[in-house]
């Protein structure tokens, strides 16, 4: 009897894995590649920015939401009420299944970096919006749209640390930004490079190394962040 139960359990697991694999195969997927220039971005590895700052990344998280796909025939698919926390420490978060595959060519894809104001004031939620993910400001009831932490010898701070917690959902400090990309060729996925070196080319870490609240500096970082995203070049 025990042997039969074990066999049934094994078959159930295998069926579940095959079902998940088939679902992913049939889905259009956004495949994010975290980069520092031409190098893959890795935690605690040293990089040199265009401003000659030597730095290493210890935390890199950001939210993607409001994903929209426009096809060549002008039909549009919108992924509603979905919020994706991208985290360098969670490789599974770098692949986002969107919708069922079809043969229509894609003209453009758009998404927002961050969490909208309505969701921010809805209180603590679940899934990727769970406060335990470390992306919720309890003191001002809002989400951190992007979090970057690390160290650089250019920073005259405690242990040479830098911290950028970019958020804000109220004007004039509304930090959500929209990214629009136009794929050259689409098959079963959309490969997007997220090049954090682009952001650090705009920052002099000796002068700007800590942004922890909504404000003018946070809005500037939010503006820079849009430039990080590019369709992967082959």
């Amino acid at each position: 009897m025990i042997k039969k139960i074990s066999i049934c359990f094994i078959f159930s697991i295998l069926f579940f894995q095959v079902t998940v694999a088939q679902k992913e195969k049939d889905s259009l997927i956004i495949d994010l590649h975290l980069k520092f220039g031409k190098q893959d971005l890795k935690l605690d590895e040293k990089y040199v920015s265009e401003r000659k700052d030597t730095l290493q990344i210890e935390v890199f998280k950001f939210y993607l939401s409001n994903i929209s796909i426009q096809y060549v025939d002008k039909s549009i698919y919108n992924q509603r009420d979905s919020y994706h926390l991208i985290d360098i420490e969670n490789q599974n978060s770098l692949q986002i299944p969107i919708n069922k595959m079809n043969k229509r060519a894609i003209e453009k894809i758009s998404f927002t970096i961050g969490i909208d104001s309505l969701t921010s004031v809805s209180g603590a939620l679940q899934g990727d919006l769970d406060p335990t993910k470390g992306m919720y400001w309890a003191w001002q009831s809002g989400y951190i749209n992007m979090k970057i932490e690390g160290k650089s010898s250019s920073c005259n701070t405690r242990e040479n640390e830098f911290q950028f917690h970019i958020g804000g959902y109220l004007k004039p400090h509304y930090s959500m930004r929209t990214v629009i990309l136009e794929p050259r060729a689409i098959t079963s996925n959309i490969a997007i490079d997220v090049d954090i070196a682009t952001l650090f080319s705009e920052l002099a870490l000796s002068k700007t190394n800590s942004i922890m609240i909504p404000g003018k500096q946070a809005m500037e970082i939010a503006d820079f962040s849009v430039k990080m995203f590019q369709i992967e070049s082959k």
Side-chain angles (χ1 to χ4, degrees):
M1 183 66 177
I2 295 176
K3 186 175 181 180
K4 288 183 179 180
I5 293 175
S6 298
I7 292 173
C8 289
F9 178 74
I10 292 172
F11 273 110
S12 296
I13 294 296
L14 290 174
F15 178 77
F16 175 76
Q17 291 176 336
V18 170
T19 302
V20 171
Q22 184 63 41
K23 183 177 180 181
E24 291 184 352
K25 182 179 179 181
D26 291 341
S27 296
L28 177 67
I29 292 175
I30 293 180
D31 195 6
L32 300 169
H33 299 158
L34 306 185
K35 313 283 286 186
F36 196 99
K38 295 182 179 181
Q39 304 174 69
D40 290 334
L41 183 65
K42 298 179 181 179
L43 292 177
D44 301 319
E45 189 160 315
K46 290 187 177 180
Y47 302 96
V48 180
S49 73
E50 287 186 10
R51 291 178 174 267
K52 306 306 179 184
D53 291 319
T54 299
L55 60 99
Q56 57 194 68
I57 301 297
E58 296 178 342
V59 175
F60 184 33
K61 300 180 181 181
F62 57 91
Y63 278 109
L64 290 189
S65 59
N66 298 325
I67 297 172
S68 179
I69 295 173
Q70 179 175 308
Y71 295 93
V72 173
D73 64 8
K74 303 306 178 184
S75 61
I76 296 175
Y77 169 81
N78 293 316
Q79 190 182 53
R80 300 187 182 281
D81 301 320
S82 58
Y83 307 93
H84 304 278
L85 177 58
I86 312 304
D87 185 351
I88 190 174
E89 293 194 77
N90 178 9
Q91 290 299 303
N92 291 333
S93 72
L94 304 182
Q95 288 195 325
I96 306 175
I98 301 302
N99 65 341
K100 192 171 179 62
M101 280 292 296
N102 56 61
K103 296 181 180 180
R104 289 177 294 172
I106 293 175
E107 185 170 82
K108 67 177 65 174
I109 177 172
S110 66
F111 50 83
T112 52
I113 309 169
I115 303 299
D116 58 88
S117 57
L118 180 60
T119 303
S120 289
V121 299
S122 295
L125 302 173
Q126 299 178 343
D128 279 0
L129 296 175
D130 192 314
T132 61
K133 303 291 185 180
M135 296 291 282
Y136 187 75
W137 273 323
W139 57 272
Q140 74 154 31
S141 301
Y143 284 91
I144 301 170
N145 292 336
M146 183 173 62
K147 179 184 285 189
I148 302 172
E149 298 178 0
K151 294 181 180 179
S152 171
S153 56
S154 299
C155 298
N156 185 24
T157 57
R158 179 178 174 273
E159 298 184 357
N160 303 119
E161 295 175 337
F162 59 81
Q163 295 180 311
F164 301 115
H165 295 186
I166 308 305
Y169 61 89
L170 296 175
K171 293 183 178 181
H173 302 138
Y174 187 68
S175 65
M176 283 189 71
R177 294 294 184 272
T178 299
V179 177
I180 300 175
L181 301 174
E182 297 182 1
R184 297 179 184 88
I186 298 299
T187 54
S188 61
N189 71 338
I190 302 172
I192 297 177
D193 285 339
V194 186
D195 185 4
I196 199 171
T198 303
L199 189 148
F200 282 99
S201 70
E202 305 281 357
L203 291 171
L205 287 174
S206 60
K207 298 179 180 178
T208 306
N209 46 55
S210 181
I211 300 174
M212 304 294 286
I213 59 174
K216 181 180 178 180
Q217 285 186 310
M219 297 308 98
E220 291 175 351
I221 300 293
D223 290 339
F224 298 153
S225 69
V226 175
K227 301 176 183 179
M228 296 193 303
F229 296 84
Q230 296 291 334
I231 293 293
E232 185 181 71
S233 57
K234 300 295 184 181

